Structures are given as C-alpha cells and as structure tokens.
Amino acid sequence: MEIELMKLSFCIAIVLFLNCIGNARASLGISSQRGKPAGGSKFVLRPEDRLSLEYYHKSCPQLEGIIQQKLHGLVKKDNTLAASIIRLHFHDCFVRGCDASILLNHQGSERSAEVSKTLRGFNIIDEIKSEVEKKCPKTVSCADILVAAARDATIMVGGPFWEVPFGRKDGLISISKEANMVPHGQENVTQLIKQFEINGLNMLDLVILSGSHTIGRSSCSAIHQRLFNFNNTRKSDPSIDTSYLRYLKKKCNRLDNFVHLDIATPRTFDEVYYKNLEKKTGLLSTDQLLYSDQRTASLVHALASQPELFVIQFGVSMVKLGNVGVLTGKDQGEIRLNCNYVNKA
C-alpha cells in the first residue's frame, strides 16, 4: 500500500509540475498553442495571453489594496460571504467566460435565472466597484474585480495566495437560459468532465476546483432528491454514510434550510473536503461521485492524504478558471461604470 501511494504521489507531482509550468508560461505571455500565420512572422496571441500582472500598475496601483481592505471588513462580519464570492466567480466564468455577465441585473439576464437565485455577493462587488471608481474612474473592469475578490476571499478563510493577471473587459450580453450551463449538482462525472473541457479545464482542475466546497453551504432543496427519492426510487442515495444520512434528514426537514458542504471543518479552507469523500460524507452527489468514479478517485485520495498538493494546485486551477473566455481585444467588451448595467451609448 505504501509503495502504491508513493507511485501515486509521484504521478500527481508530475501533473502538478506540468500544470505549474503551464501557468508560469501563460503569466509570462508564453503559449505552447500559439502559431505563426502563413507568410508572417508574428505570433498569434490567445485572449488570455494579453492579461498581465502589471496591467493596473500605472493606471490604478492601489487596486488590490482597495479590494482587500473592502473585502476584509465584509468577510469579517460574515465569513460565509467568502464562499459566496468564489461561487459567483465560478458561475460567471462558466457562462460566456469571465466577463462579469453574471453581474448584469436586468430582466432575462443570467442573474435572473432560477439556478442563480441562491447566488450571493453582488452587493459586495458593487461596494468594491464604487470605491475603485472613486480612486480610478473608468479604468478597472467588474470582471477583474470579481476575479481578484475570489482570490482574496480564499485567503481570508485560510486558503492559498496566487497572482491574478488583469486586463479583462466586461461583457455586453447576459442571457437567462445560459445560466444552466453551470454544473448544478446533479451531473455524473462524465458530464462534469465534458463541461470543464468545454471551458479549457481538465480533470485535475475539476477535482481541485470542487475542493472549494471545503467552505460554504448548500440549500436542502439541492439535495432533497438524494435524501428522499434518489433516482426516483423513493429511497436515499446508498452511497451516503448512514450516520451522515440521519443527520442530513434531521437538518433538512425544510427545503429552505441550509447545510455546510464540509461537515468537519466548514469554516476552514483545507483538504478535509477530500477526506469527507473517502468517508462517504460528501454533501452533493457531484462531490461524492468524484471518489466513487475510478477516473477521479485516485486524485481525491492523493489530495486527502497530502494537503500540500491541494494548496499548490488550487491557485494554478483558479488562474486557469479566471482565464476562461476573457475579453481582451480592443473592440471587445467595455469597462462598466456600474457592474449591474452596460454603459449607456
């Protein structure tokens, strides 16, 4: 068993190393997927290659300080907001890329969709944006603010630090039905892998980013079928630990009640989420399936037994998430003056 674990650790280490190298190359503007146009000598840049760690160094050098200070005060009052900001960022990037389309507040927008009803943190981004506009008017996008806020929220609950490249523009379109493109907790692993691959994320990113469920809560309505009518059997999901099942049924006597995603350390950003999966105490079926599916089970085991792997890779995967579908071209998007609305013509 020890030899097998060592082999597994070595394999995971190689994957992490390659991912870290890929992340570093992207940060430096280097891409293995670039190519030269026929007859030309210039490299073709992907949209995310235009992002930069120095993007606001001259135009808004105090940006990250403003976000950190504003967010720290709000999370200190209510630490559940950290998970809400991370989730808001995830929902944004999985629909049309990281363009702050989830923040647009109008009839028929992603924000108005039924699947978005439990999202929180909009007011926090509004408050940060308002403060940023005072210091750096018409300069910083809502998309960049949301990405940086997700990073800082992670740190404030004990998670790792990573550098955030900036330069995203805000999108002009937000459509309610497209909000269904975000995983909603009922998918199988094959469906999850496909949803992540569509957004340029791999299976390792899937398992790592699912680890953000080490903090936060879920409504009982999201797990009601798993508890009382799994696969229309009128029975509970047999993969749930029996003691945990009794606890959840007692806790979820009302659909509008909430339960922690991590039963063991719900307020600390750590690897215990993965240990919970090994004990069959994952709250969402999409979480527990990561351990029961042979394609992802070994990753779960490695992350549960070696916390440093989770710490190292989480920042790498979050950078990749923040690069999804970004608008960086001269004629793409805009810098919204108010995150809730597109600018007036």
Side-chain angles (χ1 to χ4, degrees):
M1 181 66 185
E2 185 177 346
I3 294 175
E4 290 301 316
L5 183 57
M6 289 177 64
K7 288 181 179 178
L8 178 60
S9 300
F10 179 71
C11 291
I12 296 297
I14 291 175
V15 173
L16 292 176
F17 174 76
L18 292 175
N19 272 269
C20 289
I21 291 296
N23 183 48
R25 288 169 63 85
S27 297
L28 293 170
I30 303 170
S31 170
S32 60
Q33 297 180 24
R34 293 183 193 172
K36 294 182 181 180
S41 59
K42 294 183 178 179
F43 286 110
V44 176
L45 293 176
R46 300 172 302 170
E48 61 267 33
D49 291 326
R50 295 187 176 93
L51 299 176
S52 169
L53 298 176
E54 294 81 30
Y55 191 84
Y56 294 116
H57 276 196
K58 292 183 178 179
S59 60
C60 192
Q62 62 271 59
L63 172 63
E64 295 193 72
I66 294 172
I67 296 174
Q68 291 166 9
Q69 185 175 17
K70 197 73 178 177
L71 196 60
H72 183 269
L74 294 168
V75 173
K76 190 174 182 179
K77 292 179 182 177
D78 180 5
N79 67 359
T80 66
L81 290 173
S84 297
I85 293 297
I86 297 170
R87 184 177 178 224
L88 193 60
H89 170 49
F90 183 83
H91 275 247
D92 180 44
C93 294
F94 258 63
V95 182
R96 292 184 173 270
C98 307
D99 66 346
S101 57
I102 189 62
L103 303 180
L104 288 174
N105 191 13
H106 60 74
Q107 186 175 3
S109 67
E110 295 165 37
R111 184 170 172 175
S112 69
E114 186 64 31
V115 295
S116 301
K117 295 297 184 183
T118 57
L119 292 177
R120 302 167 63 218
F122 297 102
N123 61 317
I124 295 177
I125 303 302
D126 287 341
E127 288 188 38
I128 295 173
K129 174 65 171 175
S130 178
E131 193 65 28
V132 170
E133 282 297 310
K134 292 177 185 177
K135 303 291 175 61
C136 312
K138 303 179 181 180
T139 302
V140 181
S141 68
C142 300
D144 276 344
I145 289 174
L146 182 53
V147 173
R151 187 270 311 274
D152 292 343
T154 302
I155 295 171
M156 289 173 192
V157 289
F161 169 86
W162 64 90
E163 296 276 9
V164 173
F166 293 113
R168 299 164 189 78
K169 300 287 184 62
D170 296 320
L172 306 175
I173 300 171
S174 184
I175 301 172
S176 176
K177 65 180 181 180
E178 292 184 352
N180 291 314
M181 297 166 65
V182 181
H184 53 274
Q186 307 299 324
E187 297 85 359
N188 58 43
V189 173
T190 297
Q191 291 169 325
L192 288 172
I193 290 173
K194 288 181 179 178
Q195 286 176 304
F196 272 66
E197 286 180 343
I198 288 171
N199 289 291
L201 302 170
N202 58 35
M203 191 164 61
L204 177 61
D205 298 317
L206 163 62
V207 179
I208 289 289
L209 293 176
S210 295
S212 63
H213 289 171
T214 180
I215 57 171
R217 305 180 302 170
S218 172
S219 66
C220 285
S221 61
I223 60 171
H224 187 264
Q225 280 193 314
R226 190 175 184 221
L227 300 182
F228 301 102
N229 190 25
F230 181 67
N231 288 344
N232 296 316
T233 61
R234 297 187 179 181
K235 297 179 180 180
S236 304
D237 183 345
S239 70
I240 306 176
D241 173 78
T242 53
S243 296
Y244 186 48
L245 179 60
R246 287 194 297 270
Y247 165 80
L248 290 177
K249 285 186 173 181
K250 184 178 180 180
K251 193 78 172 177
C252 289
N253 57 346
R254 289 171 52 96
L255 290 177
D256 56 356
N257 284 348
F258 287 86
V259 284
H260 291 297
L261 290 162
D262 179 347
I263 188 175
T265 57
R267 293 179 177 83
T268 304
F269 198 97
D270 55 28
E271 82 293 347
V272 174
Y273 160 83
Y274 299 104
K275 294 179 179 179
N276 293 339
L277 302 188
E278 292 182 317
K279 297 175 183 177
K280 298 184 179 181
T281 56
L283 183 66
L284 304 179
S285 63
T286 45
D287 289 330
Q288 193 57 56
L289 283 172
L290 294 178
Y291 187 61
S292 59
D293 191 291
Q294 62 179 2
R295 290 169 294 181
T296 50
S298 58
L299 288 171
V300 170
H301 181 67
L303 293 164
S305 59
Q306 300 176 77
E308 66 278 6
L309 298 182
F310 179 46
V311 172
I312 293 170
Q313 182 62 28
F314 188 78
V316 176
S317 293
M318 283 294 280
V319 169
K320 289 179 67 176
L321 175 64
N323 288 351
V324 172
V326 292
L327 303 176
T328 56
K330 291 182 179 180
D331 300 321
Q332 290 183 309
E334 64 180 12
I335 304 297
R336 280 183 222 149
L337 302 181
N338 184 318
C339 293
N340 294 272
Y341 312 105
V342 297
N343 297 336
K344 294 181 180 180

